[in-house]
Amino acid sequence: MDRKTRFFKNAVILQFIPLLLLCLFIVSNFREQKILKIRQLHPYEFNYGELLPLIFFAVCCMVALFTLFPKTPDAPEDDEEILKRKRKQNFWKFAFYCNVFLLFVIGMFSVLVFQKDALIIDQPIHFYAIIFSRFLLVIIISLVVASFLLAAGLYWKINKSLATVILIFSFLILTVSTVFELVFVSVFIENSERHFIAKAQKQTGNQEEVYEDYGESEEADGESENTATLLYESWISLIENCGGTDGKEQFFNIRNLIEIAQQEQISYKDDYYLLNFIDNLRNKPDEIYSEFETFKPVFYSAVSENTYRRAHFDKIVEGLLLAHEDIGGEKDLLSEMYKVMKSNAKDEGDNTDFFETFEYNFSEETVRKLYALKVSNDFYLSSDMRWFYGFWARRNNEGNLKEVALILKEIKEHYENSEE
């Protein structure tokens, strides 16, 4: 075996050693996680786990370099031995390059992971199963794809159709692995957000008298206490006084009333303080969530569990999250939707053709679920549908789509947990 093949083989095979050590570490340190509880590092934080396959591969490559020094003497070979040697060379070369490709994909997605704050899944069995199986799959898939590529090469001269099928199947495995990594990272980020939401809700505690206690809390200074009072009173004036909390008014009518209030642009009346407060945060995504965290006790105090359901806020939040799940990640589509909405507004249109223009981009199942919510009567349902999807086009244009979605998820989970 020549030196290059030996390096490829050792770089791949040696990864089973840190994999075994990782398994032993997990088993021996599963409960306490004392080693990782240093400097407030969460034991189930994924940011460091994302790079484990890359780190171990780099270490194994460095170790594999030392195996190149002892040179084995060349032995006489016949034609059969030469053929076997070439096949081994090709196999380990394919395995090594497939390994590099998969790690390159992981490296690309690690950029996405490290742009986030700490990603945590507070479930040790799931966490370690993901870390271990992900590392194992990188090695196994590399060896399996290498076997298919070698088989495709062997069959190429005698049966090109079969060789082509094997080759396509090999690339399909790599493609599925890449898509799986994307889905995995996306789901992990979402689950991590849920962890922090749940943690925040636990810290919030009993919200029944939060508003009354807000002014007495250590976090509330005079200015924030005054802001909380104005937000509360503005909510009462705008929402309750126009029938938005008794469930009698159509959602369509409530939206029109609020839109009229926004168009009046009255900045100094306390009645419109809430609208101006929100308007000032529209283009400040970094502040939106922090302000919500600060004043959410006021919202939870103003909107009881009964009010949340009686006023159909639960349906509105559910509808927005359904629409977000449907198109929230399609930024180009949202931008195009916003352009059409803006163009219709300039032409003094009522956006009646907006939903029909983009309906083919929406999931039929999601559309059925949105219609089933019926936050307005049948006559206004089409307007509600345009609003649910148009809402995210506006948030995308403002640059706060992710933050608003996170806030809505937290509101939904807060009231769902309150039921329990």
Side-chain angles (χ1 to χ4, degrees), residues 246-264:
D246 56 15
K248 296 179 181 179
E249 287 288 342
Q250 298 287 334
F251 181 48
F252 173 84
N253 296 333
I254 300 297
R255 294 204 316 273
N256 281 347
L257 290 173
I258 294 176
E259 185 177 355
I260 292 172
Q262 286 178 309
Q263 290 174 352
E264 290 181 1

Side-chain angles (χ1 to χ4, degrees), residues 154-182:
L154 295 176
Y155 281 107
W156 187 256
K157 292 183 179 180
I158 58 177
N159 191 340
K160 287 191 176 181
S161 298
L162 179 58
T164 302
V165 172
I166 295 174
L167 195 62
I168 293 174
F169 192 70
S170 302
F171 287 110
L172 180 63
I173 293 175
L174 294 176
T175 303
V176 171
S177 301
T178 303
V179 174
F180 174 79
E181 181 70 13
L182 173 61

Side-chain angles (χ1 to χ4, degrees), residues 15 46-55 57 98-114 131 133-139 141-142 177-178 180-182 184-185:
Q15 292 180 72
F46 181 68
N47 296 67
Y48 65 87
E50 166 71 16
L51 291 177
L52 275 182
L54 283 166
I55 295 172
F57 176 76
C98 288
N99 201 170
V100 171
F101 172 79
L102 293 173
L103 292 172
F104 175 74
V105 172
I106 290 176
M108 291 180 61
F109 285 113
S110 68
V111 176
L112 174 64
V113 169
F114 278 90
I131 294 293
S133 60
R134 193 162 161 274
F135 185 16
L136 177 62
L137 283 173
V138 169
I139 309 173
I141 291 175
S142 300
S177 301
T178 303
F180 174 79
E181 181 70 13
L182 173 61
F184 162 73
V185 171

